[in-house]
Amino acid sequence: MIATPESYFSVDFSAATARFRVACRAAGAAATSLPHPLPGPGGEALATDVARLGPAGASRLLVLLSGVHGPELLCGSACQAGLLESGALAGLPADTAVLLVHAINPWGTAHGRRVTEDNIDLCRNFMDFDAPLPGNDGYEDIHRAFAPGGEVSNGQEAMGVLLDYQRQRGLPALMAALMAGQYVHADGFSYGGREATWSNHTLTQLLQEHGAGAKHVLALDFHSGLGPYGYGTAVAMHTGAALERVRRHFGGWVEAPRQAAAESPGEFYGVEGHCADGFVRALPQAEVELVTIEFGTYPVPRNLQALIDDHWLHIGGVADDPQQLAQEMLATHYPDDPEWRYAVWTRATQALRQALACLRE
Ligand SMILES: [Zn+2]
């Protein structure tokens, strides 16, 4: 029986992992499972799964990465399973290998949380921790929205603080304060950590092991929850030649936050410690591009409220209905809608074509 694209989309983490493992075996990919030190909410073992296709010493390496933010795993996993099962990864160009990294943040995935087991946003954790960490003055202004025991006591009130800040300082300032990353408050929002977390170590080791012989590495990092519904925005943190290469193959409309922040500092914000920085640092001998494919779901106010409520549940122990909140966290990152899923799948096949073209350059 030939699988339909809808079937690539699993109902939960354990189903997604099982599907990924079966797809790897069927595709003849060498696969391993890297156990996470902590269990899932039901006591179950957690792991990041890894598979590789193509010649051992390939000079071109494509990396397909899923689950940097836990609730986004099911979307990225569907892209990985589909690309394996559909045969899209069969018959790779010469001298090209593919590394699939499934659920790099398994704790966050199992617990339905964006962050890792230590409240770290993995996509802000790829810092040089030997160097001084950057400050985020804007976040200092809004941290009271995320701190139990103060003037704010739940996610709704927290949103009120953020909207006040937006009225006074504008939306770009709010987004920078909220999303650029902060390295001071370990119990705060957008916390980047003070050392590399398990997922960071694991990904870095995988890249050093599998990318050592590569001259050109391109990663597709699948995310969801930001942007127009069903649209897969390509985002690149690079500037200069790497950004130009990405735009030649993924289109001139690839979003480039750091380039934009350099050109218009008040309008856009850069992100610190992004996964792209981890790839560049782990692979010093290679040309490296990381393209985030960000699949949009619902408008920012709804999705942000879910993230804030989730923070308050776990940091402050406050939620009206934890079960309903868990469903909302899943819904805002993984709509139960066959058309949204079909759009994700078709965009994944397009992104693969663009990635392989970029690697051939
Ligand atoms: Zn994400």
Side-chain angles (χ1 to χ4, degrees):
M1 194 181 87
I2 296 174
T4 59
E6 299 92 273
S7 78
Y8 302 144
F9 294 78
S10 296
V11 295
D12 58 24
F13 184 20
S14 66
T17 299
R19 178 106 196 198
F20 180 76
R21 290 174 183 169
V22 168
C24 289
R25 272 199 293 279
T32 50
S33 196
L34 307 172
H36 189 277
L38 296 175
E44 73 276 21
L46 303 177
T48 295
D49 278 72
V50 183
R52 183 178 169 125
L53 285 161
S59 71
R60 300 175 186 130
L61 179 67
L62 171 66
V63 181
L64 303 176
L65 177 62
S66 67
V68 165
H69 296 132
E72 304 169 27
L73 178 272
L74 294 179
C75 171
S77 174
C79 297
Q80 292 173 315
L83 293 175
L84 281 165
E85 289 187 28
S86 67
L89 297 178
L92 289 169
D95 197 23
T96 304
V98 179
L99 178 69
L100 297 106
V101 182
H102 185 264
I104 189 59
N105 172 11
W107 186 94
T109 301
H111 291 81
R113 304 211 60 209
R114 175 180 173 92
V115 292
T116 61
E117 60 277 11
D118 30 21
N119 191 45
I120 287 173
D121 185 333
L122 180 58
C123 212
R124 309 287 180 271
N125 183 241
F126 288 90
M127 300 296 288
D128 174 2
F129 287 102
D130 294 330
L133 294 167
N136 181 342
D137 292 342
Y139 183 78
E140 294 301 321
D141 292 337
I142 59 168
H143 176 63
R144 61 203 160 90
F146 302 103
E151 68 187 83
V152 172
S153 54
N154 61 48
Q156 290 293 335
E157 292 175 18
M159 186 62 102
V161 168
L162 303 185
L163 291 175
D164 277 347
Y165 188 80
Q166 181 184 338
R167 274 189 287 275
Q168 290 163 18
R169 306 287 297 274
L171 184 59
L174 173 64
M175 293 314 289
L178 200 54
M179 302 309 287
Q182 57 89 11
Y183 296 86
V184 174
H185 302 278
D187 59 351
F189 196 76
S190 265
Y191 178 56
R194 280 169 215 149
E195 58 185 9
T197 190
W198 182 90
S199 300
N200 177 334
H201 280 300
T202 302
L203 182 60
T204 300
Q205 281 167 15
L206 282 170
L207 294 175
Q208 287 169 343
E209 179 187 337
H210 288 274
K215 295 194 178 72
H216 190 175
V217 177
L218 189 142
L220 292 177
D221 180 14
F222 295 107
H223 286 247
S224 61
L226 189 63
Y229 190 84
Y231 182 75
T233 306
V235 184
M237 287 294 155
H238 308 289
T239 56
L243 177 60
E244 284 169 23
R245 268 198 306 277
V246 168
R247 281 188 163 156
R248 266 199 294 282
H249 298 283
F250 289 79
W253 49 84
V254 169
E255 291 192 5
R258 285 182 182 160
Q259 172 103 340
E263 288 166 359
S264 321
E267 292 295 307
F268 298 93
Y269 63 96
V271 167
E272 305 283 355
H274 195 273
C275 296
D277 302 321
F279 274 72
V280 168
R281 204 172 294 121
L283 301 162
Q285 83 292 350
E287 284 179 359
V288 174
E289 296 102 24
L290 181 139
V291 180
T292 302
I293 306 292
E294 181 72 66
F295 291 105
T297 61
Y298 302 105
V300 168
R302 175 177 171 183
N303 291 11
L304 184 58
Q305 186 70 63
L307 290 174
I308 293 171
D309 289 348
D310 181 66
H311 175 89
W312 269 94
L313 171 59
H314 292 277
I315 300 293
V318 177
D320 290 342
D321 183 344
Q323 210 169 350
Q324 197 276 330
L325 175 54
Q327 285 168 5
E328 178 70 355
M329 279 293 284
L330 185 61
T332 50
H333 295 95
Y334 191 58
D336 184 10
D337 170 1
E339 288 304 324
W340 185 85
R341 294 178 181 192
Y342 198 80
V344 166
W345 166 240
T346 53
R347 179 69 173 112
T349 61
Q350 181 190 31
L352 174 69
R353 180 169 54 73
Q354 293 167 326
L356 290 175
C358 190
L359 272 178
R360 262 199 302 273
E361 187 179 306

